[in-house]
């Protein structure tokens, strides 16, 4: 029985609504010190009946090969491998032997997906190691010239059982009418919570007793009336999952394809076992995996990459590029002394720092440059995206540089196969890493590295010693209880009271402006207060990027008129001492912070009752210089959201989905 999803007009028209939004959805900026996250627990492992059979296209001993047999140019296709004798596949390495070059970005996975840009004859080879031996397989296929419009479902890939999965349909050749999209599962064990949103398909993988291949079909009608059908395969890995382990206990199933970026790293075994697995149940001590700063006070890029886990090789390549080329790169090398490891994975959402491991976990959406890199990302929206949606106000934020949007900046279309510039990459990574590494150096500042022993571990040390953000909170406390309580609604999903539902933007201005917070998010915890102050100082000091904040009404305000807003609030005289405390305790190498603050821009108010989108160039006489047609674009982060979610860079989207600390 096929499982079918038909898109409705409301879902397809949401792109038009999003044209009025700058957004930051599912982003990082969180840490965990034992507070509840609000995540649901994982459901019990659920195995399901088969929707229909899927047969291998070839068999090589104990290895089955699945995939497409009719392949045309400008299409998206893939192949998958499973063992047919209950053996465990331990490693796979794909390579292209013949034909026009294919871009294969998951060549260590059981499943590969790729675009066929040229007709011709191709040969792929895979070396497969299983628990019963190693063998090499070779597969020849022909790509025919396409004579009809082609729909492209991206991307065939491997997932872990019980994990969250996404697929996307676009087209190289024609514009798709999203209201006509019909998704259905046609083979393999029935997936769970199947949901289509515009040109995306989301589902949860069922539990399996052996590796299984599932297949989906999508039919589309193009704007010119022509039709197309495409199919996609996803391999579901049978994995060892301990429900009480750190990540599953927080409703997070990790990818089985995450590996050490440097295969010869001396920390390979430690980072692969201590940082991001479905069986991690205890914290490794510093004797097994020390902080970078315990080993060296001047780490090189290679030192950092030796501590880096990735789900796809390109992520480590982009990380190296960023560290080598960004003006913020030298700062990051210093800040990374406060971590045990770095994880960059397609399934991390949002980014976070975690005291249980001493590592930072970075969403790979911040790292892509090419459209093929972007295709490998998981686009499942976070279920908590509607936190605070019942409130009648919003608090928007962004970075502006040279009187133009900086982060989010230019929109990049997945359908148009846009490539990002390095400048866009730098903007997207820098704010995130300043924030997450602000957390890391709050928990493990420079003056404790030398005193840590091999028997210490990150979690126990934190619980016994506290953080600098505790001192910030006691020395320079935030005073608005209304904002603290509202932050729990917007960022932790607490139920809003009737009084909170009655607040409008003018009320929030009254609560917020007299206080000494740099952002709305600062009210969630002292940890976020600390990291946000550092992030905003460093973005201005190192990159010349100014942070805007704007309070607006969400009702009857289609133009998003700002009730109150400010640029570079972190440098307000009432907040400078707090920022100075934070920066000096994280990065003392910068020197006299007070002198640096004096050289940074003074805060400036946004124009009241002027649209958020037209409050970018604040120079006198520049009111008409804000080109609305070029400013109001849909940033790529927005494309994962459902039809009911409208975001304006709302800070409520920051605090989602990092794991709870173990008891």
């Amino acid at each position: 029985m096929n499982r079918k999803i038909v898109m409705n007009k409301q879902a397809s028209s949401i792109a038009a609504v999003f044209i009025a939004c700058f957004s930051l959805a599912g982003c990082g900026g969180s840490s965990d010190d034992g507070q509840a996250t609000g995540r649901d627990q994982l459901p019990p492992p659920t195995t399901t009946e088969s929707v229909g059979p899927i047969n291998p296209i070839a068999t090589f001993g104990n290895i089955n090969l699945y995939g497409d047999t009719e392949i045309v140019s400008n299409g998206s296709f893939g192949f998958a491998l499973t063992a047919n004798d209950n053996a465990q596949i331990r490693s796979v390495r794909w390579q292209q032997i013949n034909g026009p070059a294919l871009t294969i970005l998951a060549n260590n996975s059981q499943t590969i997906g790729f675009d066929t840009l040229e007709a011709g004859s191709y040969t792929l080879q895979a070396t497969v190691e299983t628990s019963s031996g190693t063998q090499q397989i070779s597969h020849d296929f022909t790509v025919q010239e396409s004579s009809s419009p082609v729909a492209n479902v991206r991307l065939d890939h491997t997932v872990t059982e019980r994990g969250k999965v996404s697929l996307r349909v676009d087209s190289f050749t024609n514009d798709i009418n999203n209201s006509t999209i019909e998704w259905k599962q046609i083979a393999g064990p029935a997936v769970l919570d199947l949901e289509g949103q515009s040109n995306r398909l989301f589902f949860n993988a069922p539990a399996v007793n052996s590796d299984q291949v599932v297949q989906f079909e999508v039919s589309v009608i193009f704007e010119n009336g022509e039709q197309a059908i495409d199919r996609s395969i996803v391999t579901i890995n049978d994995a060892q999952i301990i429900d009480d382990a750190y990540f599953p206990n927080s409703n997070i199933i990790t990818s089985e394809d995450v590996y050490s970026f440097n295969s010869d790293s001396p920390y390979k075994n430690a980072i692969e076992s201590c940082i991001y697995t479905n069986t991690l149940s205890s914290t490794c001590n510093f004797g097994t995996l020390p902080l970078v700063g315990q080993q060296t006070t001047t780490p090189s890029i290679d030192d950092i990459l030796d501590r880096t886990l990735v789900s796809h090789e390109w992520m480590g390549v982009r990380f190296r590029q960023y560290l080598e080329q960004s003006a913020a790169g030298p700062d990051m090398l210093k800040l990374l002394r406060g971590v045990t490891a770095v994880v960059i994975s397609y399934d991390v959402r949002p980014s976070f720092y975690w005291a249980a491991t001493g590592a930072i976990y970075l969403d790979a959406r911040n790292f892509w440059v090419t459209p093929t890199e972007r295709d490998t990302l998981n686009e499942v929206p976070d279920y908590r995206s509607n936190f605070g949606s019942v409130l009648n106000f919003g608090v928007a934020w962004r970075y502006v540089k040279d009187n133009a949007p900086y982060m989010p900046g230019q929109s990049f279309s997945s359908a148009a196969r846009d490539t990002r510039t390095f400048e866009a990459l730098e903007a997207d990574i820098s704010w995130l890493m300043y924030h997450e590494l602000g957390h890391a150096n709050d928990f493990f500042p420079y003056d404790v590295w030398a005193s840590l022993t091999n028997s210490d571990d990150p979690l126990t040390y934190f619980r016994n010693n506290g953080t600098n953000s505790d001192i910030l909170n006691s020395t320079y406390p935030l005073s608005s209880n209304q904002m603290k309580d509202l932050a729990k609604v917007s960022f932790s999903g607490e139920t809003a009271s009737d009084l909170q539902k009655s607040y409008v933007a003018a009320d929030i201005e009254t609560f917020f402006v007299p206080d000494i917070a740099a952002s709305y998010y600062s009210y969630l915890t002292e940890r976020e207060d600390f990291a946000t102050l550092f992030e905003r100082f460093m973005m201005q000091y190192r990159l010349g990027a100014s942070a805007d904040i704007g309070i607006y009404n969400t009702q009857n305000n289609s133009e998003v008129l700002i009730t109150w807003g400010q640029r570079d609030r972190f440098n307000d005289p009432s907040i400078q001492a707090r920022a100075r405390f934070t920066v000096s305790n994280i990065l003392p190498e910068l020197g006299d912070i007070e002198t640096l603050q004096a050289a940074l821009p003074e805060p400036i108010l946004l124009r009241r009752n002027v649209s958020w989108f037209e409050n970018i160039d604040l120079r006198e006489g520049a009111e008409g210089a804000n080109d609305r047609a070029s400013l109001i674009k849909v940033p790529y982060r927005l494309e994962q959201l459902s039809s009911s979610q409208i975001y304006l860079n709302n800070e409520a989207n920051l605090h989602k989905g990092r794991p709870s600390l173990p008891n």
Side-chain angles (χ1 to χ4, degrees), residues 11 28 37 184 192 216 255 317 408 465 479 547 582 642 653:
T37 64
K184 61 183 177 182
L192 307 171
F216 300 89
S255 170
V317 172
N465 292 276
S479 61
T582 299
S642 73
N653 299 315

Side-chain angles (χ1 to χ4, degrees), residues 23 25 102 108 112 160 179 269 310 342 344-345 357 373 442 488 550 628 632 651 655:
S23 173
L102 299 171
N108 66 321
I112 55 172
T160 304
S179 67
N269 292 337
V310 297
V342 178
I344 310 172
S345 180
T357 60
E373 291 169 355
D442 177 24
K488 295 174 184 177
R628 191 174 182 83
I632 305 174
E651 293 195 33
H655 184 73

Side-chain angles (χ1 to χ4, degrees), residues 29-250:
S30 44
S31 66
D32 196 293
D33 57 359
Q35 301 180 26
T37 64
R39 269 185 173 268
D40 294 335
Q41 292 299 302
L42 278 175
T46 303
T47 56
T48 58
E49 297 295 325
S50 175
V51 169
I54 180 168
N55 297 315
I57 60 173
T59 298
F60 304 87
N62 69 331
I63 300 298
N64 287 340
L65 175 69
Y66 298 85
D68 298 286
T69 55
E70 297 181 5
I71 302 178
V72 298
S73 60
N74 291 321
S76 298
F77 301 95
F79 298 107
L81 301 169
T82 66
N84 55 33
D85 61 352
N86 293 320
Q88 179 188 11
I89 293 183
R90 293 174 174 169
S91 69
V92 177
R93 192 71 180 178
W94 295 86
Q95 62 180 8
Q96 183 178 356
I97 303 302
N98 182 48
L102 299 171
T103 301
I104 300 173
L105 296 182
N107 57 4
N108 66 321
S109 176
Q110 287 177 236
T111 313
I112 55 172
F114 49 85
D115 292 337
T116 51
L117 303 182
E118 298 181 46
S121 298
Y122 294 76
T123 302
L124 293 177
Q125 192 174 86
T127 302
V128 187
E129 179 189 356
T130 73
S131 53
S132 58
T134 300
Q135 65 174 297
Q136 195 171 82
I137 68 171
S138 183
H139 180 62
D140 300 320
F141 62 96
T142 300
V143 176
Q144 304 290 342
E145 195 70 47
S146 173
S147 58
S148 303
V150 177
N152 304 84
V153 178
R154 298 183 178 94
L155 187 70
D156 295 10
H157 64 290
T158 300
V159 302
T160 304
E161 60 177 325
R162 303 166 64 188
K164 300 179 185 298
V165 190
S166 70
L167 294 170
R168 181 183 74 237
V169 62
D170 296 309
S171 176
F172 278 121
T173 56
N174 295 71
D175 291 332
I176 295 173
N177 181 340
N178 285 348
S179 67
T180 68
I181 296 173
E182 295 187 7
W183 294 94
K184 61 183 177 182
Q185 182 182 356
I186 60 174
V191 301
L192 307 171
D193 303 318
L194 192 68
E195 179 183 5
Q197 293 182 12
S198 188
N199 65 333
R200 267 74 169 175
L201 180 70
F202 305 118
F203 62 90
N204 292 332
V208 295
N209 296 317
S210 62
D211 294 348
Q212 298 290 322
V213 176
V214 294
Q215 188 171 38
F216 300 89
E217 181 178 279
V218 64
S219 62
V220 305
I221 299 176
F222 298 106
E223 293 291 355
N224 64 5
E226 295 185 276
Q227 301 182 32
I229 291 175
D230 194 23
R231 292 181 175 182
S232 180
I233 55 175
V234 174
T235 303
I236 301 174
N237 270 154
D238 176 25
Q240 184 181 4
I241 298 173
I242 300 175
D243 283 352
D244 291 335
Y246 285 177
F247 287 99
N249 191 50
S250 292

Side-chain angles (χ1 to χ4, degrees), residues 425-596:
L425 178 78
E426 180 180 47
D428 212 9
I429 296 175
S430 294
W431 78 272
L432 174 67
M433 288 195 62
Y434 277 132
H435 190 102
E436 300 306 340
L437 292 172
H439 284 308
N441 288 270
D442 177 24
F443 283 71
F444 293 99
Y446 68 95
D447 56 0
V448 307
W449 302 334
S451 65
L452 298 172
T453 69
N454 285 346
S455 61
D456 288 328
D457 67 76
L459 183 57
T460 304
Y461 185 89
F462 152 66
R463 286 176 168 162
N464 291 338
N465 292 276
T467 65
N468 279 322
S469 57
D470 295 326
I471 301 173
L472 175 72
N473 185 53
S474 62
T475 308
Y476 306 103
L478 302 179
S479 61
S480 174
N481 290 325
Q482 295 95 332
M483 295 303 295
K484 292 176 183 178
D485 290 340
L486 286 166
K488 295 174 184 177
V489 175
S490 294
F491 307 131
S492 293
E494 292 194 6
T495 301
S497 68
D498 290 340
L499 178 60
Q500 289 172 325
K501 292 177 184 178
S502 73
Y503 290 147
V504 294
D507 298 313
I508 305 308
E509 177 185 1
T510 301
F511 304 148
F512 179 80
V513 174
D515 207 355
I516 53 175
S519 71
Y520 181 24
Y521 194 37
S522 302
Y523 288 98
L524 181 61
T525 67
E526 59 269 28
R527 317 295 181 223
E528 301 307 337
D529 185 17
F530 187 87
T532 301
L533 279 166
F534 179 70
E535 167 209 325
R536 297 198 173 179
F537 175 93
M538 293 303 299
M539 288 294 287
Q540 175 55 253
Y541 170 69
R542 185 61 70 197
L543 297 172
S546 295
D548 282 357
I549 182 172
I551 301 170
Y552 62 95
N553 288 310
T554 57
Q555 303 300 312
N556 302 314
N557 188 15
S558 61
E559 293 295 303
V560 196
L561 303 179
I562 297 300
T563 297
W564 180 91
Q566 192 173 33
R567 180 165 295 170
D568 290 319
R569 179 172 172 81
F570 77 91
N571 209 31
D572 188 280
S574 67
I575 301 176
Q576 282 183 330
R578 307 182 83 243
R580 189 159 55 246
F581 173 85
T582 299
V583 176
S584 63
N585 278 284
I586 293 178
L587 205 55
E589 290 96 330
L590 293 180
D592 186 345
I593 306 303
E594 188 170 4
T595 299
L596 298 181

Side-chain angles (χ1 to χ4, degrees), residues 26-30 247 258 275-276 304-305 307-312 314-316 318-320 322-323 332 336 339 341-354 357 359-368 377-378 428-440 636-637 658-659:
C27 299
S30 44
F247 287 99
V258 171
I275 300 298
Y276 195 57
I304 300 305
L305 294 177
R307 305 294 194 100
T308 300
L309 291 164
V310 297
S311 60
H312 297 74
W314 68 262
M315 299 169 188
R318 295 303 177 200
F319 190 31
R320 175 186 284 279
Y322 171 78
L323 293 174
M332 299 308 173
L336 284 160
V339 305
V342 178
V343 179
I344 310 172
S345 180
Y346 84 101
D347 61 342
V348 171
R349 179 147 316 140
S351 303
F352 59 94
Y353 167 79
W354 203 27
T357 60
I360 58 170
Y361 300 77
L362 303 177
D363 187 340
R365 289 181 305 165
N366 294 75
F367 289 81
W368 71 272
L377 303 178
N378 189 327
D428 212 9
I429 296 175
S430 294
W431 78 272
L432 174 67
M433 288 195 62
Y434 277 132
H435 190 102
E436 300 306 340
L437 292 172
H439 284 308
Y636 74 93
R637 289 186 176 86
R658 80 285 191 274

